[in-house]
Amino acid sequence: MTEKNKEDGVDAKIVKMIVFAIGDQEYCIPILSVREIRGFEKTTALPFAPHYVCGAINLRGIILTVIDLAIYLNIQPQADNPRRVAIIVESKNGVVCGLLVDRVIDMADIDMNDVQAVSEESSSLSGLVMVNNRMIGVLQLETVVGELVGDMVTE
Amino acid sequence: MTDNKGVRVLTIDDSRTMQGMLRKVLEGAGYDVIQGGDGVEGLEVLQAANPPPKAVITDINMPRMDGFEVIEAVRKLDQYKHLPVIVLTTESDPEKKARAREAGATGWIVKPFSTESLLAAIRRVTA
Amino acid sequence: MSGDMDDILQVFFQECDEQLQELERGLSALSDGDSDHETINAVFRAVHSIKGGAASFGLENLVRFAHVFESSLDGLRSGRIVPTHDIMKTFLKAMDVLSDLVVEARGGAGVDHERVAESHAELEAIINSDGAPKPAEDVVPQDFVPVPMDFVPVPMDFEPIPVEMDFGFDEPAATPDLVVSFRPQDAMYERGDDARNILIGLRDLVATVEGGVLSVTCDTSGLPTLHDLQPTRACLSWRVVLPAAVSEESVHGVFDWVSDVCDFSITHEGAAEEAPAAPAVAPVVAAPPAPAAAPAPVSAPAHEAPAAVQAAAPVHEVAPAAVTNAIAGNPAAPPRKTEQAASIRVDLHRIDDLMDLVGELVIAQASIEALSRRNEGAMQQELTQSISSMQSLTRDIQDAVMAVRAQPVRSVFQRMQRVVREACSMTKKDVVLLLEGEDTEVDRTLVEKLTDPLTHMLRNAVDHGIEKVEDRLAAGKPAEGHILLSAGHRSGRILITIKDDGGGINRQRVLETAVKRGIVAPDAVLSDDEINNLIFAPGFSTAATVSDLSGRGVGMDVVKQAILSLGGRVTIQSVPGEGTTFSLSLPLTLAVLDGMLIEAGESTMVIPISSVVETMMIDHRDVYLLPDGGNIISIRGTCMPLIPLAAELGLSKAPTQEALANAVILVVENESGGRAALVVDEIRDQTQVVIKSIEKNYRQISGVSAATILGDGSVSLILDVPALIGTAIRKIDNRSPNARTGLAA
């Protein structure tokens, strides 16, 4: 997966992404996995939860947890940001959770062929991509959710 | 088989498997299928049907009201006394056949049936 | 296409399950001496349905076995066979085999072919013994047998199946031209048939002959004048000339079904050749003009009339609501006395959704209620009143939805018959299982989850409860053992008992075994009850020789865990020489729970009321500090662990001894009587909560069983009391092996 692909005229694999900010970093996830975006609300603390889990909220009768992506990704969040929002996402196997981010920036069509891989596969980032001279991380949602539901138990 | 379009057929069988098959075969041939899960329900469906069906396919062995009774009841309805009723059953006992005939059945098909013969039978009574 | 058929195949298997249940119910009733005709019919129909469906899918083994089963049942239906004990046993076994064959057809475990053959032979023996000419022929056509063979290559297609159609298809044979004359009687039209159908049948015959031509003449000479025309009277006859290649036999085939209501003749075109177009003389068999049977009701068949006449025929409005009357007027037609309540089939998910919505309603209502309490305005009283009437409505809706989800325990209970039969044949014992209260209704999720524990408990009862035949006889008991499985409602819970008339628990042996396995100390002094409960201890098995049966099962400890996880309790009563009774007490539903709202570590949590023994303030003099910082509290002489709840759940730091001194505690109890005292910040309220899964979108949390949503929309955790107590007691056990008195789990 390098820029060579593009030069060879490989079919574009456009994915519509929602781009959001955490601290001074930008990340994106496929818009198709997003259910809705909510203002951040009070959560219920959960015993023995990983440190990046804020707690549980009620989304119209479904109980789900909210992940503080800043803590999860180990980034300094914007201080005293009143605009923090929870992006409610659903993973491929139907797990619903909230991702707490500093703010939603915009939407972008990203050609997956342009995404440059980083580190190993199990990483929470599937790669980095340049959009309008901004470096955007493509979040690997399945990894994040997999950790949340305890596929990789961290207790 | 577009000439069957809109031709309505009522199937009465307590087996959902059989009902599923009948629906598939008949709808596949363009028929408009309505169904009843046993004799009593079949008659209710028949009574409520608008437009009325052009033929009935009924099982014999059913709870509450069997196929013979269904045929007899249909024959007593002014609106439907001449409605073709085909029996579809696993039975081939001549006595039962005679009883169906006596009750007023228009035809008799033994399960398992072939798509073609079923459709041929329906075509014949509804054409 | 195959996708569609897969769906139908799934429907078939689902239906098989239902039919097998029906079969089990019917056969049990027959075994109990019920000989109601409708019961026998239901049994017959169940097997018949399975056979019919299986044949359509080419499930050869299933068809073959169902066929012989059905044939033997037909003997029962016609009264040729008397349902003796042995015959019923054969039928019950055949039912098990049939059920195995269904499982196999579904792609599950393979069948025991020997057992199938054995059962098959037993059924055949019944058929051959009933003295009837050949019952099998009654139910299965001769051409049925080869069907399965034809099926094999394309089981999902309808194509290559032989079919008997009385509209007639047959091979043409070389004979001179045929002249077919026919004259339908009124009765033929009354049967919904039409001369046209016969003409089509004949045309189809001709179509099988290359270049064949059909010539048809209609004889209208019998037609009266328009004035005299009776619309229900048949007046026309036809003369049809078919090519020589069409066989006479096949023509008979066309008339087979209508032979009683249509006069017809077949002649070979011979010397006295008649011109096909010859008009006048009708070569019709002399048929009397068949007087109309009944004074013709008004309705125009207009089947045979030429267009002009048809148009002129009186057309009458037909009363649409005639059906009910017609049925009522026919003595054979009214629904049987065994009429069932009308029912519809609903996807379970929809009911679950409905249940969820009702849960939402309860929550929304609680939040309105909370708001109204804060509202001090003039409307306060009216508001409170409206809310309280809404509350009772909500409760009614909740009950109604729960009733929809409720299901009699019958299905599970009846499955136990098989369990006992198999256990008997394995242990060479003779045990009768009696069922009571099968109609008791329980939430369906609970019904499903009861199957495994009950299966094991019944196997255990046959294996360990009921004595060997010689021992029973020696004790002056009947050789045949009895187990009573009963269900009923007791004060808002379901009580299920399994009572055997066996030898009772041999407490001395249980105790010896428990000591040997290190489950209890050699010098321990235990009550009878405590000894009984040892059989639930992990890794316990009293069987001197581990039988085949126990070998494949799970331990009773797993049974107990399963019951506990359903919010249930198990108790044992056992009298030496007289038998043992296991009692299971279960909640009615897994969807709602009566809980106590408490505050701990700035969180509101729910504790199931059923596990709360009492609430009190701590008297600091009763608290004992353990060396590692843990605490034990003595309440009226009983010691139990003192659990600072928030700290235990990692939500706050361990409280200081001073903070503990005057804290509020809840004494909670697990199902086996193990207790602990939970330290909480505040006790708030008692309320009914809707149970919501946490694991669905998260993971299991130790000490928490589920969650709920409170009136203000926030999430609250429901505590897993048995787990909390278990953890606390294990900690103490690890610390001091001698401090177990009064803490037995």
Side-chain angles (χ1 to χ4, degrees), chain C residues 57-74:
Chain C
F57 289 105
L59 302 169
E60 197 181 335
N61 291 338
L62 196 50
V63 173
R64 195 171 294 148
F65 189 81
H67 173 49
V68 66
F69 195 178
E70 185 190 24
S71 302
S72 60
L73 286 170
D74 192 53

Side-chain angles (χ1 to χ4, degrees), chain B residues 8-26:
Chain B
R8 182 168 267 205
V9 177
L10 166 64
T11 69
I12 306 175
D13 202 310
D14 59 329
S15 153
R16 278 179 285 130
T17 311
M18 209 41 80
Q19 290 282 48
M21 286 191 172
L22 287 170
R23 180 176 285 280
K24 187 178 142 50
V25 169
L26 293 173

Side-chain angles (χ1 to χ4, degrees), chain B residues 13-25 38-48 54 59-66 68-127, chain C residues 1 4-5 8 11-15 18-19 38 41 44-45 48-49 51-53 55-57 70 77 137-144 147 151 158-169 186 189-194 196-197 200-201 204 232 256-260 297-301 303 318-324 326-327 329-330 332-336 338-340 342-343 345:
Chain B
D13 202 310
D14 59 329
S15 153
R16 278 179 285 130
T17 311
M18 209 41 80
Q19 290 282 48
M21 286 191 172
L22 287 170
R23 180 176 285 280
K24 187 178 142 50
V25 169
D38 62 30
V40 175
E41 205 181 299
L43 284 175
E44 280 167 10
V45 170
L46 178 65
Q47 172 177 239
K54 289 284 197 296
D59 185 22
I60 286 295
N61 231 311
M62 294 182 288
R64 295 212 285 175
M65 178 189 267
D66 68 24
F68 302 127
E69 292 166 337
V70 168
I71 301 166
E72 281 160 10
V74 170
R75 291 288 168 253
K76 285 193 190 283
L77 299 177
D78 274 354
Q79 186 187 359
Y80 289 123
K81 58 201 296 186
H82 300 291
L83 180 69
V85 181
I86 295 171
V87 172
L88 178 63
T89 174
T90 49
E91 316 243 8
S92 75
D93 175 13
E95 245 173 67
K96 295 234 168 71
K97 240 161 128 169
R99 226 190 118 190
R101 191 177 274 159
E102 208 175 292
T106 318
W108 181 277
I109 304 177
V110 175
K111 293 178 201 169
F113 58 87
S114 80
T115 310
E116 272 159 24
S117 58
L118 178 81
L119 291 178
I122 295 291
R123 241 191 336 271
R124 239 175 259 172
V125 298
T126 59
Chain C
M1 164 136 183
D4 290 2
M5 288 309 292
I8 301 177
V11 170
F12 167 64
F13 285 133
Q14 203 182 338
E15 223 168 23
E18 291 163 15
Q19 300 293 357
E38 198 37 51
N41 272 341
F44 180 84
R45 218 164 31 230
H48 181 82
S49 276
K51 186 183 86 176
S56 301
F57 289 105
E70 185 190 24
R77 190 167 64 152
E137 278 179 6
D138 287 358
V139 266
V140 170
Q142 296 80 346
D143 59 343
F144 194 80
V147 167
F151 254 132
F158 296 103
E159 308 308 336
I161 306 156
V163 67
E164 180 181 334
M165 258 292 292
D166 280 341
F167 300 98
F169 279 100
D186 297 351
Y189 296 104
E190 281 161 16
R191 202 187 266 176
D193 216 327
D194 198 316
R196 195 193 56 216
N197 297 342
I200 293 173
D204 287 356
T232 56
D256 178 31
W257 187 254
V258 293
S259 59
D260 56 333
V298 281
S299 165
H303 285 298
V318 177
V323 176
T324 353
I327 300 171
N330 177 0
R336 305 270 186 215
T338 54
E339 188 176 1
Q340 304 135 356
S343 65
R345 196 168 286 280

Side-chain angles (χ1 to χ4, degrees), chain C residues 180-183 237-238 262-267 282-289:
Chain C
V180 177
S181 303
F182 68 94
R183 179 193 174 89
S237 56
W238 280 265
C262 178
D263 304 306
F264 72 101
S265 71
I266 304 171
T267 53
V284 170
V285 182

